[in-house]
Amino acid sequence: MLSNSSAIADPSVEAALCALEAGLVQVSKVRTDALSSRDRLTALTRLEAVARTLPGLGLGLVAQLREQWSVEDFGRAGVSDVLADTLRISPAEARARYRAADDLAPRTSTSGTAIEPVMAATAAAQRDGAIGPAHVQILREFFHHIPACVDFATRTRAEVELAQHARMMRPDKLRQVADRVDAILNPDGNFTDADRQRRRGFTMGRQGPDLMSKCTVIADPELRAYLEAICAKYAKPGACNPEDANPQVDDEPDPDAVRRDSRSAGQRQHDAVKAVLRATLASGDLGQHRGLPVTVVVSMGLAELEAAAAQATRAADPYGERVTFGRPVVTGGGSLLPIRDALRMAAHAHHYLALFDNADGRPIYLGRAKRIATADQRIILHAKDIGCTYPGCAKPGYLCQTHHRNEWADGGTTDADQLTFVCEPHHRMAGTRGSDWTTAAAPPGHPKAGRTQWIPPAHVDPHRTRRMNSFHHPGEYLTPDSEFGGGLQEFVQYRCSTTAFDGKPATG
């Protein structure tokens, strides 16, 4: 059965949605065994048209929500936040629909007059079920990448013509036509500063299973000039080589260092940028961010630190390096860092150290090596919460604000055990009204006593079930007390600790 949690006050809209849902249920129950292949293809075509039409209808609702948004209905949460939580879609998908509504949904003027969508021809083709999401993406990318020198009338004509082609073409063929039209509109490749600034970007991809990240850079001429200067010095053979016992950074690499260097050009450039960023952080010239010096914050429990010290062993490999085992720790930026790298980074600079008792998470030591901190409580939150505590949020501590779990307006105190990390968008969603999310500490006796729990408003969850975020505490996944299973993490750690570096089980 389709989910139908609540009725709509307008009887015509309610009747139309009920008919749609009933029709889908009926279609899902029909048997197609006796159909001919031609009829099956016809049925697929009609289903595809329906599936293509629905997103356009949804964008119209998104646009209306945005135009008539009221904090009285949904609290201080934004449209994208409410869409993500209520529809159970990712925040990225919610933001994508929000932006798509700018191009493809009708708008209303201040006088109440209906205005055609910005990309009217594309929106019409979507409403007709003639084009799918891939077509729409190509058309929107084309429209937004047209150089600023192209006048409005030409831009509109190009969008109309491409939308007509999209009604008859596959997305891959449409992409070829769009590229050809782009070349016609700008045959000489003339781009203004505004065009270049619009295209610039740096995207840091997600970490893979090996904790490596793929980054994509579209550099403007100025950034490229900086990178060229950095690589000219620090990416030369023999410089900044992490395989050397004492990597040469400032001095000219000696012939032996150059001869030992087996890195590729790409690896040398990677190490050069890393060396410059490390030096910049260590310089102290970056000021402060949210009350703390700009630096790398690594959060680990006493158990991780003791295990790393106990399991540091000399591996039987050709280099005789000391290899440290243990599960990764979490940085203030939300990434996972191998504990071996964390200990090596600590050798360069000791900024802050916060250790927590393994039994109840109570802070037992807070040290400051370089200067007296004015944000001790925030340091504790970096170690306790690590990142935003809102359920499912991946925002790291660097991007979080401190929040009173018991609202300040209700007499909440600014004590370390009463504060929690919340990113700015989710901080706006917390409050005391019925449409707001509320926060509380997990009570004594709870498996994670003291951790922050979020209680959703009734429009998100009628039962107002308490929720907790485990994203920043990866050690809680796949553990014996996990609600989804248990013991797998311990099994993997056991296998890793009893496996030699050649992949064969260790003996003795």
Side-chain angles (χ1 to χ4, degrees):
M1 292 294 292
L2 294 173
S3 174
N4 187 13
S5 58
S6 57
I8 296 175
D10 188 313
S12 61
V13 177
E14 174 67 17
L17 287 175
C18 287
L20 175 63
E21 293 166 346
L24 288 175
V25 171
Q26 184 178 356
V27 170
S28 67
K29 293 180 178 180
V30 298
R31 297 288 299 271
T32 58
D33 310 66
L35 292 181
S36 65
S37 293
R38 184 176 296 275
D39 284 341
R40 291 190 185 101
L41 189 58
T42 300
L44 283 171
T45 303
R46 293 170 64 176
L47 288 173
E48 182 68 19
V50 172
R52 289 174 169 181
T53 301
L54 292 177
L57 299 178
L59 292 180
L61 293 172
V62 171
Q64 292 167 357
L65 271 174
R66 183 178 57 195
E67 290 177 350
Q68 303 176 27
W69 192 252
S70 171
V71 296
E72 299 299 326
D73 293 330
F74 302 107
R76 286 166 288 189
V79 177
S80 297
D81 295 316
V82 171
L83 289 176
D85 290 329
T86 307
L87 303 182
R88 296 191 302 281
I89 59 178
S90 69
E93 171 65 17
R95 290 191 294 270
R97 296 187 188 187
Y98 186 95
R99 292 191 295 266
D102 288 334
D103 296 332
L104 304 174
R107 295 160 294 158
T108 305
S109 67
T110 55
S111 62
T113 305
I115 304 176
E116 281 288 308
V118 174
M119 300 178 62
T122 303
Q126 186 180 43
R127 287 195 306 269
D128 293 342
I131 62 175
H135 296 94
V136 172
Q137 180 179 356
I138 292 170
L139 292 171
R140 291 184 65 220
E141 288 177 355
F142 169 84
F143 191 79
H144 288 289
H145 290 165
I146 296 177
C149 60
V150 178
D151 61 87
F152 176 78
T154 304
R155 296 163 70 94
T156 302
R157 179 179 175 182
E159 188 262 333
V160 170
E161 186 167 334
L162 282 176
Q164 292 173 348
H165 286 299
R167 288 175 176 266
M168 300 175 288
M169 291 182 174
R170 302 185 326 227
D172 57 317
K173 299 297 184 183
L174 177 64
R175 173 75 70 181
Q176 295 175 355
V177 174
D179 291 342
R180 179 61 58 87
V181 174
D182 192 9
I184 294 173
L185 290 177
N186 191 23
D188 299 325
N190 295 325
F191 294 95
T192 65
D193 288 340
D195 295 326
R196 283 189 285 271
Q197 293 301 312
R198 185 174 56 183
R199 290 194 61 213
R200 76 190 190 282
F202 175 83
T203 303
M204 187 157 50
R206 297 181 182 275
Q207 284 185 290
D210 58 356
L211 303 188
M212 301 292 280
S213 304
K214 182 177 181 180
C215 301
T216 303
V217 180
I218 301 178
D220 64 11
E222 182 181 359
L223 176 58
R224 181 183 176 89
Y226 295 150
L227 292 174
E228 288 173 342
I230 289 171
C231 291
K233 176 175 176 57
Y234 295 113
K236 65 177 62 175
C240 303
N241 189 351
E243 297 177 0
D244 290 343
N246 296 302
Q248 299 190 29
V249 179
D250 295 325
D251 299 329
E252 190 71 18
D254 58 60
D256 288 339
V258 174
R259 186 171 54 255
R260 291 192 306 268
D261 194 346
S262 60
R263 298 172 297 167
S264 67
Q267 291 171 333
R268 294 199 307 271
Q269 292 175 6
H270 169 277
D271 296 338
V273 173
K274 182 170 67 173
V276 170
L277 292 177
R278 182 174 58 219
T280 304
L281 286 173
S283 70
D285 295 336
L286 298 180
Q288 295 191 342
H289 172 67
R290 299 190 186 275
L292 296 179
V294 177
T295 186
V296 176
V297 178
V298 178
S299 302
M300 69 177 73
L302 183 59
E304 285 94 338
L305 192 60
E306 290 177 339
Q311 295 175 358
T313 181
R314 186 169 297 277
D317 65 2
Y319 301 100
E321 296 180 343
R322 293 183 66 84
V323 179
T324 303
F325 297 100
R327 64 176 179 236
V329 295
V330 185
T331 71
S335 62
L336 295 178
L337 183 70
I339 196 165
R340 181 185 180 187
D341 291 349
L343 296 180
R344 186 180 67 250
M345 291 169 64
H348 291 282
H350 298 274
H351 295 293
Y352 298 95
L353 174 65
L355 296 182
F356 281 76
D357 184 87
N358 197 41
D360 58 9
R362 179 176 54 85
I364 60 174
Y365 178 77
L366 178 62
R368 299 177 292 275
K370 287 192 174 181
R371 68 183 183 88
I372 300 297
T374 59
D376 288 349
Q377 292 171 329
R378 190 170 181 89
I379 291 295
I380 291 175
L381 292 182
H382 267 293
K384 180 171 67 74
D385 293 336
I386 302 178
C388 179
T389 56
Y390 181 85
C393 183
K395 287 289 181 65
Y398 291 158
L399 305 181
C400 287
Q401 302 172 337
T402 54
H403 168 67
H404 293 78
R405 289 194 294 208
N406 182 18
E407 293 286 343
W408 177 263
D410 289 346
T413 58
T414 310
D415 297 330
D417 59 351
Q418 296 300 319
L419 297 174
T420 192
F421 263 162
V422 186
C423 67
E424 187 172 352
H426 291 139
H427 204 175
R428 293 194 299 266
M429 297 168 59
T432 58
R433 296 174 297 186
S435 56
D436 295 328
W437 288 70
T438 56
T439 54
H446 190 279
K448 300 178 181 66
R451 289 273 295 281
T452 301
Q453 294 179 319
W454 285 73
I455 306 168
H459 69 265
V460 173
D461 179 4
H463 304 291
R464 307 202 69 195
T465 305
R466 295 188 175 211
R467 309 178 183 189
M468 189 178 293
N469 191 10
S470 293
F471 180 86
H472 303 288
H473 305 268
E476 295 177 358
Y477 294 123
L478 305 177
T479 55
D481 60 347
S482 169
E483 60 180 317
F484 300 108
L488 180 57
Q489 178 169 278
E490 284 71 15
F491 174 75
V492 171
Q493 289 180 340
Y494 169 77
R495 291 290 296 166
C496 289
S497 64
T498 57
T499 301
F501 288 93
D502 59 1
K504 300 177 181 179
T507 58

